[in-house]
Amino acid sequence: MQAALSLAKVAADKGDVPVGAIVVNESGEILGTGQNLREQNNDPTAHAEIVALRNASEKFGSWRLDDLTIVVTLEPCAMCAGAILQSRIKRLVFAAWDEKAGAVGSVMDVIRDPRALTKVEVITGIMEKECSDVLKDFFNTKR
């Protein structure tokens, strides 16, 4: 989570919402990284999770990311939750809950919907305070 948080801080420094994500294998080797790039790239799909999944797929040589874990500083939105399912990721670990747009339990639960074609293990609350504080600080400077 520390690596994802570092990426989130880079996103904040560049004026984007501070969310970071990494994709790792069972050994903990980082295969993909991402941070929010929506502002930088003028791309509404450039969420940290999407960027990390694309990066990992490139390095892994497949869109199928079976047996890999995605670690993200904020609960994924519906778009990112759907992409995580489509990538066949084995495990999702996230820090802070997103009470406005979260799609892994806060507002809806796309990942654990019983109709989902794949099953993803979900682990929450890792470094929750640290990741929440970075988000709060970012939005406090915007208001």
Side-chain angles (χ1 to χ4, degrees):
M1 188 61 75
Q2 189 61 52
L5 183 55
S6 293
L7 290 165
K9 291 176 181 177
V10 171
D13 290 343
K14 294 182 178 184
D16 219 319
V17 176
V19 179
I22 60 171
V23 176
V24 298
N25 63 17
E26 292 293 328
S27 303
E29 177 187 3
I30 297 175
L31 299 176
T33 62
Q35 66 199 44
N36 269 357
L37 296 172
R38 292 185 312 166
E39 297 297 333
Q40 185 176 334
N41 294 357
N42 291 315
D43 179 356
T45 68
H47 289 202
E49 300 94 325
I50 302 295
V51 174
L53 291 171
R54 287 177 179 156
N55 188 251
S57 292
E58 233 176 79
K59 287 182 184 170
F60 198 61
S62 175
W63 65 268
R64 293 176 187 267
L65 302 178
D66 303 302
D67 298 322
L68 301 181
T69 297
I70 188 165
V71 178
V72 63
T73 57
L74 181 65
E75 178 184 3
C77 69
M79 174 183 69
C80 294
I84 289 166
L85 286 174
Q86 290 297 317
S87 72
R88 310 298 196 263
I89 281 277
K90 177 181 181 177
R91 183 179 303 109
L92 162 65
V93 178
F94 71 88
W97 293 92
D98 184 347
E99 300 297 331
K100 293 182 181 177
V104 189
S106 288
V107 177
M108 63 184 90
D109 200 339
V110 172
I111 294 284
R112 293 176 286 206
D113 187 303
R115 298 165 292 188
L117 297 176
T118 59
K119 302 298 179 207
V120 177
E121 178 186 0
V122 177
I123 300 169
T124 65
I126 308 298
M127 292 181 61
E128 182 176 0
K129 182 179 180 345
E130 296 92 327
C131 294
S132 292
D133 287 348
V134 169
L135 285 157
K136 288 175 189 170
D137 291 346
F138 176 81
F139 286 112
N140 284 339
T141 64
K142 298 293 180 191
R143 293 185 179 121

